[in-house]
Amino acid sequence: MVKRTKTISHIAILTALASAIYYVESFLPMPVSVPGARWGFSNFPLLLSVVSGISVTNTLYIALLKTLLGSILSGRFLSPMFWMGLGGSLASALSMSLFFKFTNKFGILGISEIGAFFSNAVQLIIASLFIVKSANVFWYFPYMLFFGIITAFINATIVNYILRSVNLDRFKS
């Protein structure tokens, strides 16, 4: 019972943190105009979830809930950007969880970069198939990857700092 309560508390804290960052992030301008682009700082709680041993399922819950809550707070709920963000967030959470769980070849930075890559790729696939219905959106991929690399580095740095500063006990859920 204590373990379940602890798991739910971890999920709630990481979801609240990610949702708040998602909301604040909606006010941060991008240096280059890429329609619908966001920095992706709200993914660092997902990365923290992955490397602190939270299960794949619960990490996906955090990704889903942070997108739902963040988009409601920022007024983007059910907009095209919501669907792109949801797909990207779930793809990021799933890819980071699976690569972390089944390989020992990537550190926190590598896992973060993998999450950014899959997030950007899935967002563009959703945009090309359902929103603009054109493969021309893939011309944005290099720009998205560039900013994704920067954000993934910052996210990994934040997570490394948290792991060094806070005694997070690893647990499986």
Side-chain angles (χ1 to χ4, degrees), residues 50-51 95-108 110-111 114 170 172:
V50 168
V51 300
S95 63
M96 289 190 299
S97 293
L98 294 178
F99 273 87
F100 186 77
K101 185 174 182 173
F102 294 114
T103 69
N104 289 326
K105 300 189 185 300
F106 303 100
I108 293 173
I111 296 297
I114 287 166
R170 297 171 73 82
K172 305 292 181 210

Side-chain angles (χ1 to χ4, degrees), residues 120-154:
N120 289 332
V122 168
Q123 287 180 47
L124 286 177
I125 290 168
I126 290 170
S128 70
L129 294 176
F130 303 111
I131 299 169
V132 295
K133 297 182 173 129
S134 169
N136 288 333
V137 296
F138 285 98
W139 286 103
Y140 287 115
F141 200 45
Y143 300 106
M144 292 176 76
L145 283 178
F146 175 75
F147 289 110
I149 288 169
I150 293 170
T151 303
F153 175 80
I154 293 169

